[in-house]
Amino acid sequence: MPKTIQAVRADRDYTGANWNTHEDNFTQTFYDQNLSQFWRPEDISLQPDLNVWNVLDPKIKRAYSLNLLVLTFLDTYQGDIGMPVVARSMDESFHQRKSVLNFMAAMENAVHAKSYSNIFMTYLMNDEIDELFVWGEKNKNLQNIMALIVGYYENLDKMTYQKRYELAFVDELEYKEAQWKAMVASVFLETCLFYSGFYYPLYFYGQGKLMQAGEIINLILRDESIHGLYVGNLAIELYESFSEEKQKELYAWLESYLNALYEEEKELIETIYDPVELAHDVKIFVRYNANKAMMNLGFDPFFEYEEVNPVVLNGLNTETKTMDNFSMKGNGYQKMKSESLKDSDFIFDQPKV
Ligand SMILES: [Fe+2]
Ligand SMILES: [Fe+2]
């Protein structure tokens, strides 16, 4: 090494990810499941939906588009900061956990948010798409939801850097609390908030309409299901490490946090779904999924049990996956066939002059 170049940090040891041993009893299972259900936005053609889309009432098109826009915002931040922050906050020794979280992070924006954009690009004109994104930037409830979620990600991120690079003293208990709260935010996003947006595409899919978009939503939903379960597992492990007194305090925070999210969510649902007279039903669906999020976090349901609209349950394509996860790729989706590139693939015929 030339004398002028010095390692920035020579005072530490580096370790590698050894997949020959298990870090815990669930991470490698989630690794397998995540990779087995990998898909690409471009695998699903949206053109067949257009004959239905083109004859829909403008009010319906509006509600459909706004839902996908809300989903876009949630997935964007889940990919840009949510999953990466939780990954970064894991102790350095957890290389496998980090890899699973990073894989999930890549799906959020690069696959899920991109898929919503593909639907927009097929269904809408450019100026309509631009207007949608401006709507999202200005909608108070959506912005408040983002702030409630991303705020906890940013808080954990700041503390992670302070701790790792010794920029400030970070109390270990406070750090663990910040980590748990970010995981709770993540699970509520994955397993509850997404569902107000999923409702409408599922409502159509359950009636045999806009099937290609519905197929995409089902693929996304299948991913979000295991994301919520995995981060939920990490959150449960952390919660169990707190004293009983601290657990009570954190649970009280969780209840008020869920209430705060739900208040914003209710108004957002009314804005989007009142024009198509479905707000009441969507709120039931969100409460139903909030209870699933609570279960992912190791707690009892928070809301009373209610029956969900059977058309929407029908839209959950149980042929390709179930809400209870871990089903394998089904027959409704066929992954694009691909083969490895060979040198000969790069030998082209000379163009005729
Ligand atoms: Fe996602
Ligand atoms: Fe996710």
Side-chain angles (χ1 to χ4, degrees):
M1 196 183 287
K3 268 192 180 146
T4 49
I5 297 180
Q6 291 177 340
V8 178
R9 289 189 75 175
D11 58 336
R12 50 160 299 175
D13 297 324
Y14 296 91
T15 57
N18 179 2
W19 289 84
N20 191 38
T21 57
H22 286 257
E23 282 178 6
D24 52 45
N25 61 5
F26 56 91
T27 292
Q28 291 210 11
T29 309
F30 277 93
Y31 168 87
D32 290 338
Q33 185 63 28
N34 270 279
L35 269 77
S36 76
Q37 63 186 51
F38 174 74
W39 58 286
R40 284 174 286 200
E42 280 66 30
D43 292 350
I44 295 168
S45 159
L46 287 151
Q47 297 297 326
D49 284 350
L50 281 177
N51 51 357
V52 171
W53 176 262
N54 287 336
V55 296
L56 289 177
D57 185 287
K59 271 195 305 196
I60 294 175
K61 286 183 179 175
R62 181 68 177 165
Y64 202 101
S65 306
L66 290 179
N67 275 313
L68 297 189
L69 190 276
V70 168
L71 291 168
T72 299
F73 272 49
L74 294 172
D75 254 318
T76 302
Y77 280 86
Q78 191 67 346
D80 290 356
I81 177 165
M83 286 292 181
V85 160
V86 174
R88 274 199 289 281
S89 77
M90 290 287 126
D91 265 7
E92 190 163 325
S93 59
F94 285 117
H95 294 301
Q96 292 168 19
R97 289 186 176 189
K98 285 171 186 283
S99 86
V100 171
L101 290 161
N102 285 329
F103 185 90
M104 291 172 175
M107 293 303 287
E108 311 288 19
N109 186 351
V111 177
H112 301 165
K114 174 65 163 55
S115 295
Y116 303 130
S117 281
N118 281 4
I119 300 175
F120 292 147
M121 287 186 268
T122 310
Y123 290 0
L124 304 175
M125 311 292 285
N126 285 341
D127 55 344
E128 292 174 311
I129 299 172
D130 293 343
E131 187 276 329
L132 269 184
F133 279 82
V134 172
W135 179 90
E137 287 162 26
K138 289 193 177 145
N139 181 277
K140 201 85 199 93
N141 299 120
L142 178 56
Q143 291 294 322
N144 288 346
I145 288 170
M146 298 312 301
L148 277 167
I149 298 284
V150 179
Y152 284 97
Y153 294 158
E154 288 177 340
N155 184 50
L156 173 61
D157 207 21
K158 190 178 79 187
M159 289 173 84
T160 299
Y161 283 111
Q162 284 173 336
K163 190 165 106 112
R164 183 150 308 159
Y165 301 113
E166 295 163 5
L167 302 170
F169 171 75
V170 176
D171 179 77
E172 199 50 44
L173 181 61
E174 276 178 41
Y175 185 74
K176 273 170 43 176
E177 282 182 49
Q179 198 178 23
W180 182 77
K181 286 178 179 175
M183 289 174 184
V184 169
S186 179
V187 172
F188 279 144
L189 184 151
E190 298 278 355
T191 311
C192 170
L193 299 180
F194 273 137
Y195 285 81
S196 70
F198 289 156
Y199 180 97
Y200 213 32
L202 293 175
Y203 180 78
F204 277 87
Y205 193 80
Q207 300 172 72
K209 292 177 185 163
L210 303 176
M211 298 302 279
Q212 300 298 98
E215 191 69 30
I216 287 179
I217 294 299
N218 267 301
L219 287 169
I220 294 174
L221 198 150
R222 186 179 63 176
D223 291 342
E224 311 305 12
S225 294
I226 57 168
H227 295 180
L229 260 183
Y230 184 64
V231 176
N233 272 6
L234 299 176
I236 290 170
E237 183 186 276
L238 200 51
Y239 188 77
E240 284 171 353
S241 75
F242 293 117
S243 69
E244 218 170 294
E245 200 188 341
K246 180 56 79 182
Q247 286 184 348
K248 275 188 194 145
E249 183 193 316
L250 291 175
Y251 185 79
W253 169 85
L254 178 141
E255 283 194 324
S256 48
Y257 185 59
L258 178 53
N259 273 322
L261 283 171
Y262 184 63
E263 284 307 306
E264 296 295 340
E265 190 66 28
K266 265 196 316 198
E267 286 182 25
L268 184 63
I269 289 169
E270 284 161 13
T271 304
I272 298 176
Y273 285 100
D274 269 347
V276 291
E277 295 173 17
L278 282 169
H280 175 75
D281 252 20
V282 181
K283 286 178 199 166
I284 293 175
F285 193 51
V286 168
R287 290 195 291 268
Y288 170 86
N289 286 292
N291 285 342
K292 286 195 169 269
M294 291 293 285
M295 285 158 67
N296 281 353
L297 291 163
F299 301 115
D300 289 334
F302 181 75
F303 294 106
E304 287 285 305
Y305 176 78
E306 295 161 284
E307 290 289 334
V308 171
N309 185 338
V311 176
V312 171
L313 290 183
N314 192 31
L316 287 167
N317 185 356
T318 48
E319 294 263 305
T320 48
K321 50 103 221 18
T322 71
M323 290 284 283
D324 295 325
N325 324 299
F326 292 116
S327 64
M328 294 306 287
K329 202 173 278 161
N331 52 11
Y333 170 71
Q334 291 204 327
K335 193 163 175 286
M336 221 157 72
K337 288 190 179 69
S338 60
E339 56 178 80
S340 304
L341 286 171
K342 305 179 289 291
D343 283 349
S344 58
D345 292 329
F346 295 95
I347 301 170
F348 305 105
D349 290 341
Q350 288 300 313
K352 291 193 177 85
V353 241

